[in-house]
Amino acid sequence: MKLRASNWLILLAGAGMSADSGLATYENAPTEYREMCDPAKLAKSPSIFQRFWLGFSQFYIETESHAGYSILDKWCKGGRLPNLKQRASSSWYVYTSNVDGHFKRFQSFVDSTCEIHGNANEYRCASGIGFASGRRRLGWKKWNDDIHPTDMCSDHVVKIDPVLDDLIE
């Protein structure tokens, strides 16, 4: 089947999309990057953790997305793939392991992107992590025991503003 005749499109994107924009991938990032991917670092050294991720967030925000994103945008909302129709839910979906947030820069992908490792430009409250439908999932007991009960926050997302440094204590 030809792509032009498709009614649905799923885009699977990994490190190559980030690398083509000039961003480091997990595999070639500095050692400190890998260390700071561990949420336990937030509990042990919140200021160091937050400052590190603020720096990476600023870099991700300042880096221009490569032309491939615009091409995909034109395929979807731009009508280059005529059978992809606007419905109550999208006819296209992005599943990405990238944390740079570049897909969400394009209106086509704001509501149809799953960032499986999160987005470095958004922070979510980590209290009560590891729970699903009110039941504890394996592997998160120590994390939750270390979090003070008053730290609970529900569905709170903080978006990074590269100009503000307010997230740093």
Side-chain angles (χ1 to χ4, degrees):
M1 174 182 262
K2 294 184 179 183
L3 187 59
R4 189 173 278 288
S6 298
N7 294 321
W8 303 94
L9 180 65
I10 185 164
L11 303 166
L12 307 173
M17 288 296 281
S18 292
D20 285 351
S21 293
L23 298 170
T25 65
Y26 183 81
E27 292 301 318
N28 65 15
T31 303
E32 185 182 22
Y33 181 94
R34 290 183 188 181
E35 292 170 359
M36 291 298 169
C37 285
D38 180 356
K41 295 288 184 186
L42 174 60
K44 291 177 187 168
S45 307
S47 292
I48 293 170
F49 183 90
Q50 291 172 349
R51 186 159 305 280
F52 176 84
W53 281 108
L54 179 64
F56 258 89
S57 295
Q58 288 173 324
F59 183 63
Y60 291 156
I61 288 167
E62 293 166 3
T63 302
E64 189 174 333
S65 302
H66 66 80
Y69 291 94
S70 293
I71 292 168
L72 294 172
D73 184 51
K74 288 175 186 169
W75 282 6
C76 297
K77 267 210 165 130
R80 293 284 170 102
L81 298 180
N83 288 352
L84 295 184
K85 305 210 180 348
Q86 295 296 322
R87 299 176 171 89
S89 63
S90 183
S91 296
W92 56 88
Y93 194 74
V94 177
Y95 188 80
T96 182
S97 59
N98 297 339
V99 298
D100 55 37
H102 281 221
F103 272 104
K104 289 187 175 177
R105 291 179 177 184
F106 295 83
Q107 193 60 39
S108 297
F109 306 119
V110 169
D111 295 324
S112 62
T113 299
C114 174
E115 297 164 315
I116 61 172
H117 295 306
N119 181 326
N121 301 320
E122 297 176 359
Y123 290 88
R124 291 191 179 272
C125 174
S127 293
I129 197 168
F131 285 86
S133 302
R135 295 175 50 205
R136 186 182 298 268
R137 291 174 29 202
L138 294 175
W140 290 99
K141 183 176 180 351
K142 178 163 178 23
W143 172 268
N144 287 306
D145 289 347
D146 290 346
I147 299 294
H148 192 275
T150 60
D151 290 340
M152 300 308 252
C153 47
S154 174
D155 294 327
H156 186 70
V157 177
V158 176
K159 299 226 180 206
I160 299 302
D161 181 340
V163 178
L164 300 176
D165 210 17
D166 293 344
L167 290 178
I168 308 302
E169 295 178 346

